[in-house]
């Protein structure tokens, strides 16, 4: 059958104009729109680039070996570093991860595999709300239930606050990724005589391990930079401390303290700290993406 | 019939309030291929999934009646559905190898589950199952590659090998070739006929020619009921029920 690309003869007037294939105006509108969107897209990444460049300019030159190997010196003296802060950040983030990651993954498995009923919906809703609660509120909560009763700021309290911030992110990522595994794959496992929990752990979870790891790393990177919830939980410490029940320094809080101080030397160190933090978060992101790319 | 390996008595199945299968009694002799034909939505898949207790995994689903595997009721009191499924293999419409598992691990999954971890035993059974599924020659150099990297037809034969690895006496298949090209379909039909020596096959098919080509017994389903069952050649040449005749001559469905 011949198919004509021209409008039928009986289509008249304006309708014919609309159906015409020779509409140059449309082509230009299309190009204009595309250009506009391109400009907006570039504008969106401009702040990111400027932050990178600025932090690099300010912090890169102040960065030296003693920044990593020494603790702060008393005001007035030059030198010293942030050994206490980066060790503190690593410790607290590690503690938060050890609790928050398995907890979040387990909750995500529940929501995806067993959470079809009312309880599942309630939990899902609660998780979504928790994701959008400002982190300072979580910090206040940790302050109220850990710091106040124990009458002491501590690394524990800081880690607890960060873990609570992590859990809903990890939960929702896990749930979303498990839901991508088609149901007939689960049925294949059941039909082979696997009990449901083994199907979930061996087949479904394993099949999405790569994606879940990405979500986990992004959650870790996110809490590594959190400041507000640590201000009144881990608090800060001028000395290197590894006692988990004592106040502990962290990079974000130390950057904050130094940045608002009146001392030139401390400002310099704050920029160096900011630079290290940005590099840390950036590396974590990049690393995750590289792993993902290799798995494909 | 002499000594059926699989026999159902008045099996009915529901999704919530909707009854999809209505009192089906059917039996399969050992070493035969049994085809289930009938228009879409007539309950073939649902009935098949009653035979390995997979139907009850759907939320709100329910089964009544009994299914005897070698004279033992798999719906009997105290029977563990998980144990039943280890003795009855199943292959689905869409090829569904386990994601992020190699070809080898896919086939070995059922054995590992049964507690067999000895490398030499696994290797032997994996090879035997892949040979049975007519896939060995094509994948013997790719055993470490992901199962999902194979072509659609190869994936389906991988799923057949996975089901065969645990040596089930009965193999259920739900339209195993409907997602495949004609060449892959022909390969699978050929291997099914060879498999008859080892297992009893119950296969749902949308394709009447396929039923006629490979099966020994054909069952015609309509709106959840088993209208007619009998020797395949008889069903296709001399159906007793007018609805069967109308269906196989292409007048509805
Ligand atoms: N998961 C389900 N939930 C509710 N109803 C279903 C479900 N699966 C199938 N059904 C219904 O059960 C009936 C039988 O379906 P099915 O066994 O899949 O038919 P067939 O395999 O013969 O095409 C149909 O009416 C279908 O709509
Ligand atoms: Mg079906």
């Amino acid at each position: 059958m011949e198919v004509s690309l021209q409008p039928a003869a009986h289509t008249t007037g304006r309708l014919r104009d609309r159906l015409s294939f020779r509409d140059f105006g449309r082509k230009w509108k299309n190009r204009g729109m595309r250009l506009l969107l391109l400009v907006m897209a570039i504008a969106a990444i401009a702040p990111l680039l400027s932050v990178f460049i600025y932090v690099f300019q300010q912090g890169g030159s102040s960065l030296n070996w003693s920044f990593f190997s020494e603790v702060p010196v008393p005001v007035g003296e030059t030198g010293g570093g942030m050994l206490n802060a980066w060790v503190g950040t690593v410790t607290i983030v590690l503690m938060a991860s050890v609790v928050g990651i398995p907890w979040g993954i387990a909750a995500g498995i529940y929501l995806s595999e067993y959470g079809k009923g009312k309880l599942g919906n309630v939990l899902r809703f609660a998780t979504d709300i928790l994701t959008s609660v400002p982190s300072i509120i979580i910090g206040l909560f940790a302050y109220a239930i850990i710091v106040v009763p124990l009458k002491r700021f501590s690394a524990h309290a800081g880690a607890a606050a960060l873990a609570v911030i992590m859990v809903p992110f990890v939960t929702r990522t896990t749930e979303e990724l498990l839901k991508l595994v088609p149901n007939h794959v689960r049925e294949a496992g059941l039909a082979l005589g696997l009990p449901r929990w083994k199907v979930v752990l061996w087949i479904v979870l394993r099949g999405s391990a790569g994606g879940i790891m990405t979500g986990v790393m992004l959650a870790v990177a996110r809490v590594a930079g959190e400041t507000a919830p640590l201000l009144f939980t881990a608090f800060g410490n001028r000395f290197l401390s590894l006692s988990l029940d004592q106040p502990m320094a962290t990079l974000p809080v130390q950057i904050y303290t130094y940045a608002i101080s009146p001392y030139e030397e401390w400002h310099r160190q704050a920029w160096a700290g900011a630079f290290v933090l940005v590099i840390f978060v950036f590396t974590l992101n990049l690393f995750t993406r590289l792993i993902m790319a290799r798995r494909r | 019939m002499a000594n059926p390996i699989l026999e159902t008595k008045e099996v009915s199945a529901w999704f919530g309030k909707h009854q999809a299968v209505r009192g089906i009694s059917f039996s399969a002799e050992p070493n035969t291929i049994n085809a289930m034909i009938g228009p879409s939505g007539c309950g073939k898949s649902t009935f098949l999934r009653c035979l390995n207790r997979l139907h009850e995994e759907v939320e709100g689903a329910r089964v009544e009646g009994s299914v005897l595997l070698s004279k033992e009721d798999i719906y009997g009191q105290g029977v563990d559905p998980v144990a039943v499924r280890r003795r009855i293999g199943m292959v689905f419409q869409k090829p569904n190898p386990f994601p992020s598992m190699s070809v080898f691990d896919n086939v070995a999954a059922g054995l590992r589950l049964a507690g067999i971890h000895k490398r030499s035993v696994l290797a032997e059974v994996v090879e035997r199952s892949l040979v049975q599924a007519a896939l060995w020659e094509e994948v013997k150099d790719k055993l470490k590659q992901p199962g999902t990297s194979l072509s659609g037809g190869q994936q389906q034969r991988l799923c057949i090998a996975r089901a065969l690895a645990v040596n089930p006496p009965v193999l259920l298949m739900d339209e195993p070739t409907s997602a495949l090209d004609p060449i892959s379909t022909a390969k699978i039909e050929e291997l099914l006929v060879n498999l008859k020596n080892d297992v009893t096959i119950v296969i749902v098919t949308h394709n009447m020619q396929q039923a006629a080509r490979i099966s020994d017994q054909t069952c015609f389903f309509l709106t959840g009921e088993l209208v007619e069952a009998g020797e395949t050649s008889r069903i296709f040449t001399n159906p007793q029920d007018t609805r069967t005749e109308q269906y196989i001559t292409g007048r509805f469905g």
Side-chain angles (χ1 to χ4, degrees):
Chain A
M1 195 178 80
E2 282 280 312
V3 179
S4 168
L5 286 177
Q6 292 302 315
H10 62 266
T11 53
T12 52
R14 289 193 25 207
L15 182 56
R16 184 154 54 210
D17 288 344
R18 282 177 152 208
L19 289 174
S20 165
F21 285 88
R22 285 181 287 272
D23 184 347
F24 294 108
R26 178 150 62 208
K27 198 158 141 194
W28 283 110
K29 261 185 239 162
N30 204 7
R31 285 186 183 171
M33 204 57 191
R34 206 171 133 168
L35 190 68
L36 183 70
L37 293 173
L38 178 68
V39 171
M40 303 290 253
I42 290 174
I45 60 167
L48 175 70
L49 274 182
S50 336
V51 166
F52 252 112
I53 294 168
Y54 195 70
V55 172
F56 179 75
Q57 281 174 345
Q58 299 288 321
S61 57
S62 311
L63 205 58
N64 49 29
W65 182 243
S66 50
F67 177 87
F68 295 103
S69 64
E70 289 172 24
V71 295
V73 292
V75 181
E77 294 176 32
T78 48
M82 287 200 183
L83 174 68
N84 57 339
W86 75 258
V87 170
T89 284
V90 169
T91 309
I92 288 179
V93 168
L94 218 60
M95 278 200 292
S97 303
V98 166
V99 177
I101 293 171
W103 184 0
I105 290 180
I109 292 175
Y110 179 84
L111 287 184
S112 153
E113 305 299 312
Y114 305 96
K116 295 214 176 66
K118 254 212 182 87
L119 177 63
N121 284 335
V122 170
L123 289 175
R124 203 169 286 114
F125 183 61
T127 310
D128 281 347
I129 301 224
L130 197 55
T131 312
S132 48
V133 169
S135 58
I136 194 161
I137 311 272
I138 308 282
L140 264 177
F141 171 71
Y143 175 78
I145 69 160
I146 302 176
V147 176
V148 172
L150 296 181
K151 302 192 177 67
R152 187 195 280 154
F153 295 111
S154 67
H156 282 139
L162 295 192
V164 171
I165 294 170
M166 263 173 111
V167 168
F169 278 95
V170 177
T171 301
R172 286 319 292 265
T173 313
T174 304
E175 187 197 355
E176 297 302 324
L177 284 160
L178 294 188
K179 278 190 172 157
L180 289 182
V181 177
N183 210 32
H184 58 85
V185 170
R186 290 179 182 82
E187 289 196 325
L190 290 174
L192 208 57
L194 283 123
R196 194 167 269 276
W197 66 269
K198 273 195 186 171
V199 171
V200 170
L201 292 186
W202 287 15
I203 296 167
V204 183
L205 193 62
R206 194 175 148 165
S208 7
I212 292 176
M213 199 151 88
T214 314
V216 163
M217 300 270 243
L218 295 179
V220 170
R222 205 204 110 123
V223 298
E226 281 291 350
T227 318
L230 294 175
L231 284 173
F232 29 74
T233 51
F235 190 67
N237 195 328
R238 289 196 44 227
F239 306 100
L240 178 64
S241 160
L242 289 173
S243 321
L244 304 181
D245 58 351
Q246 297 293 327
M248 192 179 273
T250 53
L251 269 178
V253 173
Q254 194 138 340
I255 291 167
Y256 167 75
T257 317
Y258 276 33
I260 59 171
S261 78
Y263 315 115
E264 193 56 37
E265 174 69 10
W266 281 20
H267 292 171
R268 201 178 55 74
Q269 295 241 0
W271 281 114
F275 181 60
V276 170
L277 197 56
V278 167
I279 292 295
F280 175 71
V281 171
F282 179 73
T283 313
L284 215 52
N285 268 297
L286 200 69
F287 186 63
T288 316
R289 265 159 237 278
L290 279 180
I291 293 178
M292 280 313 284
R294 270 194 34 203
R295 284 182 139 261
R296 294 247 169 75
Chain B
M1 287 227 177
N3 206 357
I5 183 165
L6 187 68
E7 196 176 2
T8 73
K9 288 182 176 156
E10 291 295 320
V11 166
S12 297
W14 288 261
F15 291 99
K17 289 206 168 68
H18 172 65
Q19 185 172 6
V21 170
R22 298 164 186 276
I24 291 183
S25 298
F26 147 93
S27 73
E29 294 295 308
N31 306 101
T32 54
I33 296 182
N34 303 270
M36 314 268 158
I37 61 170
S40 285
C42 67
K44 307 181 296 291
S45 298
T46 309
F47 176 66
L48 196 70
R49 293 159 60 93
C50 292
L51 301 182
N52 66 345
R53 298 196 60 172
L54 199 55
H55 178 65
E56 63 204 67
E57 291 291 335
V58 177
E59 198 141 306
R62 190 164 62 85
V63 184
E64 267 179 22
S66 56
V67 176
L68 307 181
L69 175 65
S70 307
K71 309 256 179 262
E72 189 194 341
D73 187 1
I74 64 171
Y75 284 95
Q77 276 230 318
V79 175
D80 179 6
V82 169
V84 167
R85 294 184 203 125
R86 287 182 200 173
R87 290 168 57 200
I88 303 182
M90 188 165 205
V91 174
F92 296 78
Q93 182 166 359
K94 257 199 181 161
N96 51 6
F98 297 141
S100 23
M101 271 196 210
S102 66
V103 170
F104 186 96
D105 290 343
N106 259 283
V107 182
L111 292 169
R112 290 202 170 117
L113 162 75
I116 299 167
H117 294 284
K118 206 168 157 201
R119 192 77 202 169
S120 58
V121 177
L122 290 181
E124 196 185 310
V125 177
V126 167
E127 176 170 349
R128 182 207 17 104
S129 312
L130 286 169
V131 168
Q132 271 186 306
L135 188 59
W136 175 251
E137 285 305 318
E138 290 160 63
V139 301
K140 64 182 176 195
D141 301 320
K142 303 182 185 170
L143 294 176
K144 291 211 167 88
Q145 287 183 20
T148 44
S149 69
L150 302 177
S151 75
Q154 290 174 329
Q155 285 189 22
Q156 194 61 305
R157 278 177 286 149
L158 177 64
C159 293
I160 295 174
R162 179 176 66 191
L164 291 174
V166 288
N167 238 329
V170 174
L171 185 61
L172 310 176
M173 308 184 98
D174 192 353
E175 304 195 31
T177 61
S178 69
L180 305 181
D181 62 273
I183 293 174
S184 303
T185 300
K187 266 193 194 141
I188 287 184
E189 287 183 11
E190 191 186 325
L191 88 89
L192 291 188
V193 173
N194 292 328
L195 273 181
K196 258 203 317 192
N197 301 320
D198 306 313
V199 287
T200 304
I201 297 172
V202 182
I203 179 172
V204 170
T205 174
H206 220 75
N207 179 331
M208 274 185 286
Q209 285 76 29
Q210 184 169 67
R213 275 193 300 264
I214 64 172
S215 73
D216 302 289
Q217 180 185 217
T218 296
C219 308
F220 172 59
F221 281 66
L222 195 61
T223 56
E225 282 171 51
L226 179 55
V227 172
E228 189 172 357
E231 202 180 313
T232 298
S233 53
R234 209 254 314 141
I235 294 278
F236 282 98
T237 52
N238 185 21
Q240 307 288 299
D241 196 292
T242 51
R243 292 168 295 174
T244 315
E245 186 187 345
Q246 284 176 337
Y247 183 71
I248 61 175
T249 53
R251 254 171 283 167
F252 71 87

